[in-house]
Amino acid sequence: MAVLHKNIDYRMISDSITYNTETDEARFYTRSYIWNNKDEILTAEQGVYNNQTKQYSFIDKAYIMTETREIWADTLYYYGVTEDVDMFGNIQIFDKEHSSYGFGHLGRYWNERGQTLLTRHPSVFTFDKNNDTTFMRADTMFLYVYYPSDFADS
């Protein structure tokens, strides 16, 4: 039987969940789904949510979907206050806003800066509306959005 837990910050559905009132942590042990107040989805086979720090730890087939991005990895640590993400193992990132896919085995996403670091066999490909594709591969990749108008002469 699925259990629905919700508060002002999130809604969670799980078949197996415990909540420790002393540590203010929810632990789930089967595939569970969490929606935050922006209707972003976070899911995994197991994990921990700490209500005090607003940190989610997702283990085993972790997934995050926002309005502009989807992220898959073996393990994800999502920091709810800053919306940054640490990613470990079999990383796949789809960025709808910038028409790109990123892959790797270790990564970090900084939400405020819109930047991503991918290491351990990273690769990225981008595509445009004509389906022209650019493929990139390196030892380490640092991805950020560059707006030429930010550097234009005043």
Side-chain angles (χ1 to χ4, degrees), residues 41-95:
I41 298 170
L42 302 98
T43 184
E45 293 295 324
Q46 56 182 306
V48 177
Y49 170 67
N50 184 301
N51 195 42
Q52 291 177 357
T53 63
K54 308 296 186 219
Q55 180 178 329
Y56 300 84
S57 302
F58 293 105
I59 303 162
D60 195 5
K61 299 176 189 159
Y63 172 73
I64 296 174
M65 183 178 74
T66 70
E67 186 177 338
T68 59
R69 282 180 198 81
E70 292 184 67
I71 301 171
W72 296 262
D74 292 340
T75 300
L76 292 171
Y77 295 115
Y78 176 79
Y79 305 95
V81 174
T82 60
E83 298 182 2
D84 297 342
V85 181
D86 288 330
M87 304 166 278
F88 304 91
N90 297 308
I91 299 166
Q92 299 177 50
I93 302 169
F94 172 51
D95 187 329

Side-chain angles (χ1 to χ4, degrees), residues 5 10 17-27 49 51:
H5 174 76
Y10 70 90
I17 186 170
T18 60
Y19 188 80
N20 184 324
T21 56
E22 290 180 20
T23 62
D24 209 9
E25 283 187 344
R27 292 183 178 271
Y49 170 67
N51 195 42

Side-chain angles (χ1 to χ4, degrees), residues 110-121:
W110 293 271
N111 181 59
E112 186 176 327
R113 301 185 317 211
Q115 299 173 341
T116 304
L117 175 70
L118 291 171
T119 64
R120 297 190 184 159
H121 310 289

